[in-house]
Amino acid sequence: MADSAIIQNILNPPVLFFFLGMGVIIFKSDLVIPEALSKFFSMYLLFAIGFKGGHELYKTPFSAEHALTLLACSVMATLVPIYAYYILKIKLEKHNAAALAGSFGSISAVTFVTAGAYLHNLNVEYGGFIVAGMALMESPAIVIAVILDRLSKNKANGGGSINWKALLHEALFGSSIYLLVGALIVGYLTGDSGWNAEKPFTEDLFKGILTFFLLDMGISAAKRFKELTHVGFFLIAAAILLMIINAGVGLILTKVIGMPEGDALMFVVLCASASYIAVPAAMKDMIPEANPSIYLTVALSIVFPINIVLGIPLYHYLVKAIM
């Protein structure tokens, strides 16, 4: 049942360390994780999942199902920020609606990694091409969010031209996507020999570093809880609604395509997550009028905790129910 899976997921060490990180702020502990270490944890996770995905691609013949899944990833990455924007601008100023829609249209690599650890504990496999799908889903939302913002500016006052060179460079060569795709390519090109050489680093250390990273994320999320009073009831309700819609559409697509259990869960997790690293970094430069306390707080303090605590086991339960 879903409730037992949720309890089992909460009792998973990385998730418990997320709560432990929140306790640092709640109980005013002096525990601090240096920014350089936090950056390393993030880079390591992107490298490890990219490299593993590349190796899985090397082992797995490309099929029609894989092509349909990658197409579904592209479709979701394009559509989600558009309909999210029109839902959010009901109450939000258009700059903030565009930036937050971009977060929902993109993905959270850490939520993806946590779901992978959840499946690993259950001895359920997922395909390496899903990592390629994750890479496909990260960048389009950045481009679409900026286009929506510029279109609103043009409509309002005839201004707001798009710097396409800077926009596409950020979307294609931003640090997260560059490391993820680069590691994917290296993992594919080096095959079994590369995997055997890197396995002690990419797999044996993976869960321990994920645990430390979620400790850090717990601290970051708790720091922003106070800002939830500023984002208001509408944003909390809209965030939950968008998670439900995105997960629901993702579930329908997994059924239509006929994805196996592990691939289906990872796809739904990608659909339901929101970016709090790549998109906020891009929005800071591309839509400077948007308020970071809105798009960053919603993604990090609402969507991320709900997904890693309740969402992952619930999505898994639903995936199995419709198979």
Side-chain angles (χ1 to χ4, degrees), residues 3-295:
D3 53 353
S4 62
I6 290 171
I7 293 172
Q8 182 179 358
N9 186 55
I10 292 174
L11 295 178
N12 193 20
V15 177
L16 287 175
F17 269 83
F18 177 80
F19 290 117
L20 191 66
M22 291 173 59
V24 169
I25 303 303
I26 295 170
F27 300 115
K28 296 180 171 61
S29 171
D30 60 355
L31 175 63
V32 175
I33 295 180
E35 185 177 348
L37 268 182
S38 179
K39 181 67 174 177
F40 167 75
F41 295 152
S42 177
M43 291 176 63
Y44 169 84
L45 292 174
L46 288 169
F47 159 74
I49 60 178
F51 195 86
K52 182 176 181 180
H55 180 245
E56 292 297 324
L57 282 175
Y58 170 81
K59 295 193 305 180
T60 307
F62 196 76
S63 67
E65 178 217 316
H66 296 166
L68 288 173
T69 300
L70 294 178
L71 177 62
C73 288
S74 300
V75 168
M76 289 299 289
T78 303
L79 291 182
V80 170
I82 295 174
Y83 66 69
Y85 172 74
Y86 286 101
I87 291 173
L88 293 167
K89 77 169 189 159
I90 294 172
K91 290 284 187 180
L92 285 184
E93 189 272 335
K94 291 177 181 178
H95 300 306
N96 291 321
L100 184 53
S103 290
F104 276 104
S106 187
I107 54 90
S108 164
V110 180
T111 308
F112 180 89
V113 171
T114 307
Y118 168 87
L119 287 177
H120 180 75
N121 289 338
L122 298 176
N123 295 316
V124 177
E125 297 293 329
Y126 64 92
F129 68 94
I130 287 290
V131 179
M134 179 176 67
L136 278 177
M137 294 179 77
E138 186 167 45
S139 295
I142 297 173
V143 177
I144 291 171
V146 175
I147 291 173
L148 289 169
D149 177 67
R150 298 301 188 270
L151 288 175
S152 70
K153 283 183 178 179
N154 287 332
K155 186 176 181 180
N157 54 29
S161 61
I162 300 174
N163 184 342
W164 286 104
K165 183 178 179 180
L167 176 58
L168 293 175
H169 186 273
E170 177 65 32
L172 298 175
F173 298 104
S175 59
S176 297
I177 193 73
Y178 185 80
L179 181 57
L180 179 68
V181 174
L184 183 87
I185 293 171
V186 172
Y188 178 78
L189 292 176
T190 56
D192 289 333
S193 62
W195 175 251
N196 292 333
E198 297 290 340
K199 185 178 178 181
F201 184 63
T202 55
E203 182 156 309
D204 296 345
L205 295 177
F206 184 85
K207 196 164 186 179
I209 292 183
L210 172 63
T211 300
F212 269 103
F213 187 76
L214 287 182
L215 172 69
D216 185 34
M217 287 297 98
I219 296 172
S220 298
K223 284 180 179 177
R224 293 190 170 272
F225 277 162
K226 291 181 180 178
E227 296 176 19
L228 291 180
T229 58
H230 302 298
V231 301
F233 174 77
F234 169 78
L235 274 181
I236 296 173
I240 295 172
L241 174 64
L242 283 168
M243 290 173 66
I244 293 171
I245 293 173
N246 296 344
V249 175
L251 283 165
I252 293 171
L253 289 173
T254 65
K255 180 67 174 179
V256 170
I257 294 171
M259 296 184 200
E261 181 181 340
D263 296 346
L265 173 62
M266 298 304 274
F267 176 73
V268 173
V269 165
L270 288 174
C271 293
S273 66
S275 172
Y276 57 84
I277 297 176
V279 171
M283 294 303 103
K284 183 179 179 181
D285 295 325
M286 301 294 180
I287 311 181
E289 302 92 343
N291 184 353
S293 68
I294 292 178
Y295 57 78

